[in-house]
Amino acid sequence: MNLVELQAHIQAVDTLDRPDPGYFLKLVEEVGELSEAIRAEKVGQPTLSELKGSIAEELVDVLYYVAALANLYQIDLTTTFELKEQLNKIKYQR
Ligand SMILES: [Mg+2]
């Protein structure tokens, strides 16, 4: 699944129709859970039974709410990433 497909999937299954702090607050919550997983060093690619509380799970949770916020504010993450990379190329002299 690429970013376009990810955003479309989330748009189909989980959509708010107005700006709402819920997605942002969930993103912050998931960043906290990611911090806990990193501190616990739950590293590597987990199996389904190992997924709960792993760094991998929390990274996906963060990605989910980033994509949900992008949908809410009608932002195409792929296009924006490409634009940002152009700025980074200049900023970091890549
Ligand atoms: Mg989580």
Side-chain angles (χ1 to χ4, degrees):
M1 181 181 289
N2 62 36
L3 273 176
V4 171
E5 294 165 339
L6 176 72
Q7 284 193 250
H9 171 74
I10 292 172
Q11 184 73 32
V13 300
D14 183 357
T15 303
L16 295 174
D17 60 0
R18 57 185 168 74
D20 185 286
Y23 285 146
F24 181 74
L25 295 178
K26 282 297 297 179
L27 173 60
V28 171
E29 179 181 317
E30 296 300 343
V31 168
E33 291 178 4
L34 175 59
S35 176
E36 289 178 13
I38 289 172
R39 284 173 50 91
E41 298 186 29
K42 296 183 177 180
V43 300
Q45 180 61 54
T47 63
L48 181 58
S49 64
E50 298 165 336
L51 186 60
K52 195 69 185 162
S54 67
I55 292 171
E57 179 194 32
E58 303 310 342
L59 282 171
V60 169
D61 287 346
V62 168
L63 180 61
Y64 183 99
Y65 287 108
V66 167
L69 279 167
N71 286 344
L72 184 63
Y73 292 105
Q74 301 171 0
I75 294 164
D76 179 329
L77 286 174
T78 302
T79 299
T80 308
F81 183 84
E82 290 167 359
L83 292 172
K84 180 63 178 174
E85 278 296 281
Q86 289 180 38
L87 293 179
N88 287 342
K89 189 175 181 180
I90 296 165
K91 182 176 181 180
Y92 298 109
Q93 301 171 350
R94 292 181 186 165

